[in-house]
Amino acid sequence: GRASGEGEWNPIVDDPFVRSYPNAPPAFYTTHLRVDIERPYTRVYMVVWDPRQVQLRVMTGTREPESATGETGPGLVPRDAETMERVVAGFNGGFQSLHGEFAMMSEGRVYLPPKPFAATVAVYRDGRTSMGSWRDPPDGVTTFEEEWAVAQIPADVVEMRQNLTSVVEGTEANPWRRWWWGAAPSNDDQQVLIHRSGMCLTSEGFMVYFWGKAMSSDALANAMLSARCVRGIHLDMNDRH
């Protein structure tokens, strides 16, 4: 059976931090699901937003990531009035650099270059958001080199974040057959059950944020497929966040 409200999308219309456009549908909806048959107590909470009304932005941390030249970003949402009046939420963007050195680009500046095959979310200069797997290395390139990696970034991409490989692509979970999703020892035979978060793009073009406790990577993938995600990225896994 279903838990109360499970799978029912509830509009966010009474939150003082969430504005609305005149005559537009709500920009946010929320729900939760239980997607792990063996663990009915595990709930995945979801927030879907309309990217025509809400723009995703990417900001570095104050200490992470650190570029090759030792540079770090401001680590803050810009404090100008126009931005602060429109901020609705913030969330963690993925692993620390030492856990994979996945790409980070913010406000037009590359802090860590993109890696081949990695799950990627990118923001274009005109505000559009794109998700998918980063392209393969060019023919003849067998080692990762920062120069050609940065040269692959389209000129109109101004922000980017990568983490691991895609959780879902199309209708398939774990298309790259990844086993290690973080925390578990490499010789272990099962995934760690822990707080996990993720983000996806749905078949209708909406964006969804996911968060849950005691989750496996499979549970995150199942939640994404249940929400009709066609591109999904694993963000973080940490009970302190």
Side-chain angles (χ1 to χ4, degrees):
R2 291 198 308 172
S4 176
E6 183 175 4
E8 299 173 7
W9 290 106
N10 300 302
I12 303 300
V13 293
D14 55 358
D15 189 309
F17 287 97
V18 180
R19 293 180 171 188
S20 60
Y21 288 105
N23 303 316
F28 292 95
Y29 284 77
T30 64
T31 192
H32 70 273
L33 285 178
R34 293 173 297 170
V35 292
D36 189 334
I37 295 175
E38 297 178 12
R39 299 171 185 85
Y41 54 83
T42 298
R43 295 188 180 193
V44 185
Y45 295 89
M46 311 178 195
V47 181
V48 60
W49 73 88
D50 182 348
R52 295 169 299 183
Q53 302 185 54
V54 180
Q55 184 183 357
L56 180 71
R57 296 296 306 272
V58 180
M59 176 52 70
T60 59
T62 53
R63 290 175 295 184
E64 274 277 339
E66 185 175 313
S67 71
T69 58
E71 188 178 25
T72 57
L76 288 171
V77 172
R79 267 15 190 198
D80 60 274
E82 185 178 355
T83 301
M84 293 305 295
E85 288 174 3
R86 288 175 164 79
V87 171
V88 288
F91 52 84
N92 185 299
F95 293 178
Q96 294 182 60
S97 305
L98 60 93
H99 297 142
E101 292 192 331
F102 293 104
M104 184 67 170
M105 180 181 183
S106 180
E107 298 181 314
R109 179 171 294 177
V110 178
Y111 291 87
L112 288 172
K115 299 180 73 169
F117 317 114
T120 307
V121 56
V123 179
Y124 289 84
R125 197 176 308 278
D126 64 4
R128 288 176 299 132
T129 304
S130 181
M131 291 189 71
S133 296
W134 197 251
R135 62 191 71 182
D136 298 357
D139 290 340
V141 173
T142 56
T143 58
F144 181 76
E145 300 206 5
E146 186 165 344
E147 189 174 339
W148 65 253
V150 172
Q152 285 186 308
I153 301 173
D156 55 345
V157 167
V158 293
E159 297 183 336
M160 178 195 306
R161 186 68 171 109
Q162 291 183 323
N163 204 32
L164 302 170
T165 46
S166 292
V167 180
V168 299
E169 280 188 14
T171 58
E172 187 177 7
N174 192 12
W176 297 92
R177 301 293 179 261
R178 169 179 290 274
W179 183 86
W180 191 80
W181 293 94
S186 58
N187 60 351
D188 207 346
D189 60 357
Q190 63 182 16
Q191 285 293 324
V192 171
L193 301 173
I194 195 171
H195 293 55
R196 294 180 191 267
S197 58
M199 180 172 57
C200 90
L201 176 70
T202 73
S203 57
E204 301 91 350
F206 296 118
M207 304 287 292
V208 188
Y209 173 79
F210 299 81
W211 179 86
K213 298 181 180 181
M215 288 175 61
S216 65
S217 58
D218 289 341
L220 180 60
N222 289 340
M224 288 184 175
L225 292 177
S226 296
R228 297 193 294 276
C229 298
V230 290
R231 297 285 187 273
I233 185 173
H234 191 300
L235 295 176
D236 216 340
M237 46 178 300
N238 194 321
D239 60 8
R240 293 187 297 275
H241 298 323

